[in-house]
């Protein structure tokens, strides 16, 4: 399915790439894929409501014909709308179904106003879609200077996206589509992507760790205060035995990305009752402040070393007041960590991705780190390979935190050298992930890979958590026997002598163009070889 998705996206992007950069055209592609999902999902739900089998209506054209007949029949119209609102929370008029618009595009009958009206209807009639299509600017002159050109551009995109089976896609449609777009087209979107997109393999590894020993929990809550596209949160459900009972709480400062996350959760069948999302700045104003404000797990991939206000009044807040210092204005890493940790339940597990500097930088960060260690809050430090994240090649660390631990040891894993090398980005294989998770569970030393450090050992290191201090990955070079070294030297001497003789012979063929030049040449030979070339 991923191959089909990627091919369709690449083809559709061809119609937009020359007109705008990836940071803009991704909004069109992702917005239209989301709308297609809503439309296709509605048709499938209609079959179910009508008591019909997909086998009897295999094509979207047949499904939309059934939908239209039920819509236009006065005896079934009201029931159809009511049931769709109850089961899906929305409905779409037959003329605005994605496959109908695609069919119009194939016949050169598509009108941009129809798609515009479809977006307006959803956004105005159903609160959960409010603002979600704002970034799909169908009036933008970048689509074309005339209405006809805009119409043609969007027609071509719709025709190509219509081939994607969004309901049958095995995985995270929005996440997979987004990952493909930012990896394929290195532009402004790619540069910014590391700030709000966590590669699926890293998400999977983090989700597995934070759900350990909590798999049977019936009501599970997850919180991501820098949620980006939402994919990091969504990975948690696949490792729980009651995935349909998970409640998602997330905040995102970037409005476009906030909308992306909301789309992503809806695509995964998360109802309004199971999501609580907010468009806002997690650091400058704490959220949530009312129950529930602590969660079974907190997952985060915040922007690395971002700036923040570090206003002194924050020291009065319960998020930060027990640590004595605030994260520096120029590096908000520990502000994000402490914010997330504050919102973690006493029985929960938190995982956060940060740059390695948080492990050893001194000053205010050193004070905060020491307090966390003295409290036993840091459970594990996992060193990740470089070049895993889009937009940054730096190696990162995943820090695991827990509350009310009975020990203050810290488990170190150096997974920085175990990855699959890719063309643009490195990746974690399933085997790499399995090794990290199994090692974390067992909590035992592995030579050159993992070490369980006691609090006393960490204290001796002045609370510096730099991984090489605890996991020695140094490989001694094999000592070459002296007789082999002697043989190599003699061989090199012979090769050098042979090369000198060849060069001497070649230079010996040269003759100066006059007496002075010949004399200069002979002097050069003497200095180079200790004798002339003509002897």
């Amino acid at each position: 399915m991923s191959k089909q998705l990627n091919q369709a996206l690449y083809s559709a992007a061809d119609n937009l790439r020359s007109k705008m950069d990836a940071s803009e055209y991704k909004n069109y592609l992702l917005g239209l894929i989301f709308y297609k999902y809503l439309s296709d999902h509605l048709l499938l739900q209609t079959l179910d409501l009508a008591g019909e089998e997909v086998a009897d209506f295999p094509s979207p054209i047949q499904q939309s014909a059934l939908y239209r007949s039920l819509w236009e029949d006065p005896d079934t119209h009201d029931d159809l709308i009511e049931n769709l609102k109850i089961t899906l929370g929305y409905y779409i008029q037959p003329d605005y179904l994605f496959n109908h618009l695609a069919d119009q595009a194939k016949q050169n009958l598509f009108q941009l106003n129809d798609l515009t009206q479809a977006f307006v209807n959803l956004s105005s009639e159903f609160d959960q879609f409010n603002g979600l299509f704002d970034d799909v600017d169908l009036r933008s002159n970048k689509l074309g200077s005339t209405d006809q050109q805009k119409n043609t551009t969007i027609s071509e995109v719709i025709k190509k996206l219509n081939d994607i089976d969004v309901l049958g896609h095995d995985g995270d449609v929005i996440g997979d589509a987004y990952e493909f777009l930012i990896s394929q087209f290195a532009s402004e979107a790619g540069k910014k992507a590391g700030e709000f997109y966590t590669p699926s393999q890293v998400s999977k590894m983090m989700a597995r760790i934070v759900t350990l020993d909590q798999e049977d929990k019936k009501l599970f809550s997850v919180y991501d205060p820098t949620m980006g596209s939402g994919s990091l949160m969504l990975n948690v459900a696949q490792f729980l035995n009651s995935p349909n009972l998970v409640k998602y709480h997330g905040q995102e400062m970037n409005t476009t990305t906030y909308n992306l996350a909301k789309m992503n959760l809806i695509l995964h069948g998360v109802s309004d009752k199971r999501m609580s999302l907010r468009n806002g700045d997690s650091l400058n104003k704490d959220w949530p402040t009312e129950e529930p404000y602590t969660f079974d797990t907190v997952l985060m991939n915040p922007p690395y070393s971002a700036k923040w206000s570090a206003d002194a009044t924050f020291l009065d807040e319960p998020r930060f007041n027990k640590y004595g210092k605030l994260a520096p204005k120029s590096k908000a890493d520990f502000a994000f960590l402490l914010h997330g940790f504050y919102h973690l339940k006493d029985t929960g597990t938190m995982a956060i991705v940060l740059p390695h500097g948080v492990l050893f930088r001194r000053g205010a960060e050193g004070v905060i780190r020491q307090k966390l260690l003295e409290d036993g809050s840091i459970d594990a430090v996992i060193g990740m390979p470089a070049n895993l994240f889009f937009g940054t090649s730096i190696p990162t660390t995943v820090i695991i935190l827990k509350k009310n631990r009975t020990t203050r040891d810290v488990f170190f894993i150096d997974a920085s050298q175990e990855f699959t090398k890719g063309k643009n980005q490195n990746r974690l294989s399933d085997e790499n992930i399995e090794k990290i998770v199994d090692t974390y569970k067992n909590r035992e030393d592995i030579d050159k890979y993992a070490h369980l450090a006691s609090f006393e050992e960490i204290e001796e290191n002045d609370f510096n958590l730099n991984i090489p201090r605890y996991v020695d990955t140094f490989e001694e070079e094999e000592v070459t026997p002296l007789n082999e070294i002697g043989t190599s030297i003699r061989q090199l001497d012979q090769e050098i002598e042979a090369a000198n003789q060849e060069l001497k012979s070649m230079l010996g063929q040269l003759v100066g163009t006059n007496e002075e030049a010949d004399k200069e040449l002979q002097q050069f030979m003497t200095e180079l070889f200790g004798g002339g070339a003509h002897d």
Side-chain angles (χ1 to χ4, degrees):
M1 283 299 173
S2 291
K3 186 177 181 181
Q4 182 212 26
L5 174 66
N6 294 348
Q7 287 174 341
L9 284 170
Y10 193 93
S11 180
D14 276 339
N15 297 98
L16 299 170
R17 195 180 298 115
S18 61
K19 299 175 171 63
M20 61 191 78
D21 65 39
S23 65
E24 293 174 290
Y25 69 64
K26 71 173 174 54
N27 297 332
Y28 288 90
L29 297 179
L30 295 173
L32 288 169
I33 287 173
F34 178 63
Y35 185 68
K36 176 174 167 56
Y37 168 84
L38 296 177
S39 179
D40 291 359
H41 191 40
L42 178 143
L43 291 178
L44 213 57
Q45 185 63 32
T46 300
L47 287 179
D48 189 55
L49 292 172
E52 301 289 355
E53 298 291 332
V54 176
D56 297 325
F57 296 85
S59 74
I61 294 174
Q62 292 170 311
Q63 294 169 11
S64 57
L66 172 66
Y67 181 67
R68 184 180 291 276
S69 68
L70 294 171
W71 180 279
E72 294 176 349
D73 187 339
D75 294 332
T76 56
H77 177 83
D78 291 346
D79 283 345
L80 175 66
I81 289 179
E82 191 61 31
N83 284 324
L84 287 173
K85 286 165 72 174
I86 291 170
T87 56
L88 295 182
Y90 67 92
Y91 61 82
I92 299 172
Q93 294 179 29
D95 284 346
Y96 299 146
L97 290 170
F98 192 95
N99 71 315
H100 177 75
L101 297 176
D103 189 55
Q104 294 289 94
K106 290 173 185 175
Q107 299 179 56
N108 295 319
L109 299 174
F110 172 78
Q111 292 299 315
L112 205 56
N113 286 339
D114 288 341
L115 184 57
T116 303
Q117 191 59 50
F119 290 165
V120 169
N121 289 352
L122 277 175
S123 300
S124 59
E125 293 181 36
F126 309 105
D127 289 344
Q128 69 265 39
F129 302 118
N130 186 31
L132 287 193
F133 298 101
D134 288 355
D135 291 315
V136 188
D137 184 3
L138 299 175
R139 305 312 318 164
S140 172
N141 287 330
K142 290 185 177 181
L143 296 174
S145 56
T146 67
D147 287 346
Q148 184 55 43
Q149 288 174 343
K150 294 183 181 78
N151 211 67
T152 300
T153 299
I154 295 297
S155 287
E156 291 303 311
V157 173
I158 285 176
K159 283 191 288 186
K160 290 172 178 177
L161 295 181
N162 192 51
D163 294 332
I164 300 174
D165 180 10
V166 291
L167 299 180
H169 181 77
D170 182 22
D172 172 359
V173 180
I174 287 288
D176 289 351
Y178 189 74
E179 182 170 353
F180 174 75
L181 288 172
I182 59 178
S183 62
Q184 192 67 36
F185 311 116
S187 66
E188 186 181 346
K191 293 171 190 172
K192 294 179 179 178
E195 295 182 10
F196 51 84
Y197 187 78
T198 309
S200 56
Q201 330 94 49
V202 182
S203 294
K204 181 179 177 182
M205 183 270 290
M206 293 169 70
R208 285 192 61 184
I209 287 176
V210 299
T211 53
L212 288 172
D213 301 323
Q214 299 198 76
E215 296 90 343
D216 294 328
K217 198 173 179 66
K218 290 295 181 186
L219 296 174
F220 192 92
S221 57
V222 55
Y223 176 53
D224 186 346
T226 58
M227 66 179 174
S229 67
S231 295
L232 190 52
M233 285 194 296
L234 284 163
N235 264 283
V236 166
Q238 64 180 302
F239 303 109
L240 297 170
N241 294 327
S242 300
N244 295 326
L245 297 178
V246 178
K247 290 198 171 183
Y248 300 89
H249 303 259
Q251 182 158 243
E252 172 56 44
M253 185 165 62
N254 182 294
T255 303
T256 296
T257 315
Y258 164 80
N259 288 335
L260 186 66
K262 199 168 182 182
M263 288 181 194
N264 213 354
L265 266 67
I266 293 171
L267 275 169
H268 281 77
V270 180
S271 65
D272 269 358
K273 292 178 181 178
R274 291 200 293 125
M275 71 168 87
S276 177
L277 309 180
R278 184 171 179 267
N279 184 197
D281 185 334
S282 291
L283 295 185
N284 285 337
K285 188 173 182 181
D286 188 22
W287 180 87
T289 54
E290 298 177 358
E291 292 286 353
Y293 68 89
T294 58
F295 308 95
D296 293 305
T297 187
V298 175
L299 288 163
M300 298 178 70
N301 179 19
Y304 308 145
S305 300
K307 293 179 174 60
W308 76 305
S309 69
D311 192 282
T313 57
F314 284 131
L315 275 174
D316 298 326
E317 283 196 26
R319 293 183 294 172
F320 308 116
N321 61 11
K322 66 181 286 190
Y323 298 94
K325 294 281 187 179
L326 292 173
K329 284 186 178 181
S330 60
K331 293 179 178 66
D333 301 317
F334 269 111
F336 282 116
L337 183 149
L338 294 180
H339 169 84
F341 191 57
Y342 170 72
H343 287 284
L344 181 68
K345 282 185 179 179
D346 289 349
T347 55
T349 304
M350 172 178 167
I352 182 170
V353 185
L354 288 172
H356 276 261
V358 298
L359 301 176
F360 53 79
R361 289 192 296 246
R362 296 180 178 271
E365 291 179 298
V367 172
I368 296 169
R369 186 172 61 247
Q370 180 173 338
K371 175 61 175 167
L372 286 164
L373 289 163
E374 288 173 342
D375 290 348
S377 302
I378 298 179
D379 179 58
V381 174
I382 305 171
M384 305 303 292
N387 204 28
L388 276 184
F389 293 82
F390 298 103
T392 178
S393 60
I394 64 168
T396 55
T397 180
V398 174
I399 301 176
I400 310 298
L401 299 103
K402 291 186 177 186
K403 293 181 176 178
N404 297 333
R405 294 173 69 224
T406 56
T407 178
R408 295 192 292 178
D409 57 21
V410 177
F411 191 53
F412 290 87
I413 298 175
D414 187 347
S416 61
Q417 301 305 312
E418 303 201 3
F419 57 87
T420 300
K421 192 166 181 61
K423 182 180 178 183
N424 298 313
Q425 252 73 39
N426 295 328
R427 296 177 60 85
L428 294 180
S429 68
D430 288 342
E431 291 75 20
N432 297 147
I433 295 171
E434 202 67 39
K435 183 174 179 180
I436 293 171
V437 175
D438 285 347
T439 302
Y440 172 80
K441 282 194 292 188
N442 295 332
R443 217 169 174 81
E444 294 176 352
D445 282 21
I446 297 176
D447 187 41
K448 301 190 186 322
Y449 187 75
H451 174 62
L452 181 61
S454 67
F455 180 76
E456 291 71 27
E457 188 177 350
I458 292 165
E459 193 174 27
E460 286 174 11
N461 275 301
D462 199 23
F463 301 100
N464 184 320
L465 297 181
N466 201 16
I467 298 172
R469 287 180 177 241
Y470 304 94
V471 182
D472 182 8
T473 58
F474 178 73
E475 295 280 357
E476 285 191 15
E477 290 188 22
E478 187 177 338
V479 178
T480 306
L482 286 174
N483 63 323
E484 290 185 18
I485 295 173
T487 301
S488 295
I489 290 173
R490 284 195 299 274
Q491 287 176 343
L492 283 172
D493 285 343
Q494 291 170 2
E495 290 171 10
I496 291 169
E497 178 59 27
N500 279 339
Q501 289 302 324
E502 185 177 354
L503 178 62
K504 191 174 182 180
S505 175
M506 290 168 61
L507 291 175
Q509 308 300 316
L510 299 177
V511 178
T513 54
N514 53 48
E515 186 177 345
E516 184 179 351
D518 196 57
K519 185 177 179 182
E520 187 177 342
L521 177 62
Q522 294 304 317
Q523 186 177 353
F524 170 72
M525 295 294 205
T526 301
E527 291 176 359
L528 188 62
F529 299 112
H534 293 289
D535 56 352

